Amino acid sequence: GCTALHVACLWGPPVDVVASLLNAFKCSTLMKDRWGYTPLINALRGHSSPAVIRLLLESNIAAIAIRNNRKRSPLEHLCWMWEDEIKMALLVPIPSSQDPMHIL
């Protein structure tokens, strides 16, 4: 089902609103609505700030692997809907990883 976090993320919420919703409903980060959208996909579709997207990923990194009903991943939504500047802001080096860059 569609949660308050799903709805908020679609409309570009402030980070503190998302943080409050995550504290209240932690498990909702992995829930899909009827179209298969997670809050992360909604945040990407709704052009939420990079800070909101990072917060969602930090809350539950497993959300990056969840695809919608059309089998589209959050990364595909990012590539289709965002400007290069925003994409680069979401790519950060993670020193403990073998891969040079990860999306966060």
Side-chain angles (χ1 to χ4, degrees):
C2 188
T3 67
L5 185 59
H6 283 81
V7 175
C9 288
L10 194 54
W11 296 101
V15 176
D16 60 329
V17 170
V18 173
S20 294
L21 290 169
L22 284 170
N23 286 333
F25 309 104
K26 192 92 169 161
C27 67
S28 66
T29 56
L30 300 179
M31 291 179 66
K32 292 181 174 184
D33 65 15
R34 68 179 178 169
W35 298 281
Y37 295 137
T38 61
L40 175 61
I41 293 174
N42 276 353
L44 292 166
R45 291 175 60 230
H47 293 270
S48 291
S49 71
V52 165
I53 293 166
R54 279 195 194 107
L55 182 60
L56 290 167
L57 288 169
E58 289 168 358
S59 173
N60 198 330
I61 193 66
I64 198 70
I66 298 175
R67 295 176 177 265
N68 68 12
N69 293 350
R70 294 179 147 189
K71 308 297 183 210
R72 292 185 180 146
S73 72
L75 290 175
E76 289 175 272
H77 285 276
L78 173 69
C79 291
W80 290 332
M81 302 182 123
W82 285 70
E83 299 170 9
D84 289 342
E85 178 182 326
I86 302 296
K87 292 174 197 173
M88 292 309 295
L90 293 172
L91 290 170
V92 296
I94 299 180
S96 62
S97 172
Q98 292 178 340
D99 296 326
M101 302 289 276
H102 285 277
I103 187 166
L104 269 186

